[in-house]
Amino acid sequence: MTSASGPGELGAFLKARRAQLAPRDLGLPEQDSRRKVAGLRREEVAQLAAISVDYYTRLEQGRVRASASVLATLARALRLDDDQQRYLYQLAGKTDARPHRRQPSQRVRPAMRRLLDQLTATPAIVLGKRLDILEWNACAAALYTDFSQLPVDRRNYLYLLFSDPIIRSMHLEWEHDARDAVAALRMESAADPCDPELARLVGELSVRDADFRTWWAEQRVNNAAYGTKRYRHRLVGDLTLDCDTWSSPDGSGQRLMILTAESGSPSDDALRILTSWAPGQPSGSLSPTSG
């Protein structure tokens, strides 16, 4: 461990770094066209790092020293590269404390993939940790969106539910569905509360959406194993679908989510139309990523 250069220098570095970032760099809304400060506001950095605004302000002012865990969250929030991270820890005198834990890759189990391939007439998605969308079938893409056209780090069910205007608007009971999804993520977070990707997702959504920020703070939990969802699809109209999820028995946290309609119902007919528009398309896949 090296000696600290002083909390004042650490604060100056943090202030300079946030001035280099624009909200759009982090996928945050730019609602105020005449911002008083260059780059990110202190409040935005604090929310992305999941720390209080008061604590972050005192860090920048050199009135407190940062712990190793706070440095880790700040490094992610400010998108520091390896050199910048080393410098950050050197300023804090904690270069030996930087975490190096690697997250195992999320790989879809072969049995789960076979199940997905056999479901050709109903939407089905394999959800991983943090509700990441790992794989999907053609009917799911027709119902929601072409997930393959999204950046890998945006293929997340909760992120799309809050940030994608098409997916958000198609949920006729959006608040109910969104709150259930937040509660499901909160329940999953207990298995790995120090997951850096979880911290990034929660921080970004907390800044982006006031509803998410409020519901996450409520600490409501729900395994969201089954329920009914009502959609208004832009092409086939209204659908009422039963949503059921089955957890993988291997402890990976992967779940298969299937949406079905009552046989012979208008929703069943709508699903058949959606399926006919995407015949023979292979299921999508998320390349293995850490986390």
Side-chain angles (χ1 to χ4, degrees):
M1 180 182 296
T2 63
S3 60
S5 300
E9 292 186 44
L10 174 64
F13 175 68
L14 293 174
K15 185 175 182 179
R17 177 56 184 165
R18 71 176 171 89
Q20 296 168 0
L21 296 172
R24 63 177 176 274
D25 297 330
L26 307 179
L28 303 179
E30 293 184 285
Q31 298 174 345
D32 186 356
S33 60
R34 294 180 296 178
R35 298 167 68 91
K36 296 179 180 179
V37 296
L40 299 179
R41 297 186 177 99
R42 284 174 175 167
E43 293 82 359
E44 292 168 332
V45 176
Q47 289 175 343
L48 286 169
I51 59 178
S52 73
V53 178
D54 178 68
Y55 181 74
Y56 179 75
T57 299
R58 286 185 287 142
L59 272 178
E60 278 201 1
Q61 294 174 345
R63 295 192 284 134
V64 293
R65 293 187 180 275
S67 65
S69 61
V70 168
L71 291 174
T73 60
L74 285 173
R76 290 189 295 272
L78 294 170
R79 302 296 193 266
L80 302 185
D81 61 27
D82 287 342
D83 289 340
Q84 290 169 327
Q85 288 189 51
R86 280 192 292 269
Y87 183 62
L88 176 73
Y89 279 85
Q90 287 170 359
L91 290 178
K94 298 182 183 294
T95 53
D96 293 336
R98 185 157 60 126
H100 295 284
R101 180 170 68 102
R102 286 184 60 84
Q103 295 282 338
S105 297
Q106 294 193 83
R107 298 178 182 274
V108 177
R109 295 179 63 245
M112 193 79 82
R113 181 178 288 109
R114 287 194 296 270
L115 271 174
L116 190 67
D117 290 340
Q118 292 171 15
L119 295 168
T120 59
T122 189
I125 295 174
V126 177
L127 298 171
K129 294 168 59 180
R130 303 175 298 272
L131 303 185
D132 290 331
I133 298 172
L134 303 183
E135 288 200 9
W136 58 92
N137 64 7
C139 196
L143 175 65
Y144 288 109
T145 188
D146 185 355
F147 300 110
S148 67
Q149 298 302 308
L150 301 176
V152 171
D153 63 353
R154 293 312 189 201
R155 295 176 194 168
N156 178 276
Y157 182 78
L158 190 65
Y159 178 85
L160 294 174
L161 195 57
F162 276 90
S163 66
D164 187 288
I166 293 177
I167 291 180
R168 180 167 178 151
S169 64
M170 70 181 284
H171 285 75
L172 293 178
E173 298 172 335
W174 178 85
E175 180 175 340
H176 174 273
D177 295 343
R179 292 192 71 166
D180 273 357
V182 172
L185 183 67
R186 172 62 86 170
M187 188 165 185
E188 287 193 13
S189 71
D192 190 4
C194 296
D195 178 4
E197 289 303 310
L198 173 67
R200 181 193 64 78
L201 176 64
V202 171
E204 184 170 346
L205 287 176
S206 294
V207 173
R208 177 184 290 274
D209 195 282
D211 286 329
F212 176 87
R213 187 162 61 249
T214 299
W215 299 336
W216 183 259
E218 290 176 350
Q219 299 198 37
R220 175 172 168 260
V221 294
N222 184 350
N223 63 8
Y226 64 92
T228 301
K229 295 187 182 297
R230 298 177 60 240
Y231 298 111
R232 176 158 294 158
H233 194 273
R234 61 192 181 281
L235 298 176
V236 297
D238 291 358
L239 302 95
T240 298
L241 304 176
D242 290 323
C243 179
D244 295 88
T245 61
W246 284 269
S247 298
S248 174
D250 65 349
S252 65
Q254 292 179 15
R255 294 186 295 171
L256 180 64
M257 183 178 84
I258 302 176
L259 296 159
T260 58
E262 183 179 355
S263 179
S265 67
S267 296
D268 185 39
D269 293 338
L271 282 183
R272 292 178 185 277
I273 294 173
L274 285 175
T275 302
S276 70
W277 286 340
Q281 291 187 15
S283 62
S285 177
L286 174 63
S287 303
T289 60
S290 52

